[in-house]
Amino acid sequence: MGAAGVVTIEAPTLLLEDRAEIVGNTALPGRGGAVSVDVGTLRIANARIASESTAAGADAGAAGAIDVTADTIVLEGSGRISAATRDGAGGSIELRARTLTLTGGSTISASSSGAGRAGNLDIAALETVTMQSSALRTSAPQSAGGDITLAAGN
């Protein structure tokens, strides 16, 4: 009941900017939508990819998972990839890339604002991860935060 669908994107390049968003969301007792992106280059600038469950209570749905595979991932100018829940289980985020760059206040986050546990961040870059004025974050003030795993280089 109320579960969001799955968003799947396959393309050579995906550019999100100026408050553009790809979001799998539910406000009912169903699961937030999963988002799967498989591209050559992903660039997010002042925009976001997210999975959300905003339902409250014991029947609240979990946020869906976000899975991104790309040669190059660039988040800049407050670009965001996030999985958020209130009382359901948090959605996890998995990123696989050759290079990952976060600048200008960009974030990759999994969070829970209520009883639900925040999801995990699993990030792997074959070559480099570059971060400047940006964050990888899990948070759950009323529950358990998720794990962050970051692997770069050989």
Side-chain angles (χ1 to χ4, degrees):
M1 161 162 124
V6 176
V7 177
T8 302
I9 298 170
E10 295 179 7
T13 301
L14 177 60
L15 171 61
L16 299 173
E17 53 188 11
D18 299 328
R19 295 185 308 270
E21 55 184 27
I22 297 171
V23 180
N25 182 308
T26 186
L28 299 172
R31 183 173 191 76
V35 179
S36 175
V37 176
D38 188 351
V39 296
T41 300
L42 172 62
R43 182 172 168 264
I44 302 174
N46 192 31
R48 72 184 184 133
I49 293 176
S51 177
E52 303 169 338
S53 173
T54 56
D59 292 333
I66 298 175
D67 182 18
V68 177
T69 301
D71 185 55
T72 302
I73 300 173
V74 177
L75 278 70
E76 56 192 359
S78 300
R80 292 181 292 152
I81 298 176
S82 63
T85 186
R86 182 167 174 186
D87 287 333
S92 291
I93 298 173
E94 184 173 323
L95 303 180
R96 299 284 177 258
R98 184 178 53 79
T99 61
L100 172 64
T101 304
L102 284 79
T103 61
S106 297
T107 58
I108 300 172
S109 65
S111 64
S112 169
S113 61
R117 181 187 187 281
N120 299 323
L121 303 183
D122 185 6
I123 300 167
L126 292 175
E127 293 180 9
T128 60
V129 173
T130 303
M131 294 179 62
Q132 183 179 28
S133 301
S134 298
L136 304 176
R137 173 182 306 132
T138 67
S139 64
Q142 298 178 37
S143 186
D147 297 326
I148 298 174
T149 303
L150 175 63
N154 294 328

